[in-house]
Amino acid sequence: DEPFSHIMPKYIDLEKEELLSKKGILITDHQFRNVTEIADDMYLLKDGVLKLIKDNEDLQYHGYIR
């Protein structure tokens, strides 16, 4: 849950490398740009429904980013 929160920016790339070495991990984080760089599949939970996210345009369409 939120692996990129409260981490100094210089350590975020190290955290990404560590997460990439693992398989079958569910990541939730508001810092979606870090997640999009390493995720194989992304879903947005909105109004109790999971929505498959292919790119930032999908996030924008669903109102997550402007």
Side-chain angles (χ1 to χ4, degrees):
D1 187 23
E2 301 201 27
F4 304 109
S5 294
H6 307 294
I7 293 180
M8 293 174 49
K10 68 180 187 177
Y11 293 119
I12 287 178
D13 286 338
L14 293 172
E15 182 73 11
K16 287 179 192 176
E17 286 179 31
E18 182 65 26
L19 289 169
L20 281 170
S21 72
K22 311 293 184 207
K23 293 293 175 196
I25 292 179
L26 173 66
I27 299 172
T28 61
D29 204 307
H30 289 94
Q31 297 183 26
F32 69 92
R33 287 179 181 87
N34 290 314
V35 176
T36 59
E37 291 178 5
I38 63 171
D40 292 328
D41 299 303
M42 292 189 314
Y43 294 87
L44 173 67
L45 179 60
K46 182 177 180 182
D47 301 325
V49 177
L50 281 177
K51 306 193 184 277
L52 178 63
I53 301 298
K54 297 177 188 155
D55 53 33
N56 285 348
E57 288 179 12
D58 285 348
L59 289 172
Q60 188 173 11
Y61 174 80
H62 291 293
Y64 189 77
I65 59 175
R66 300 199 190 310

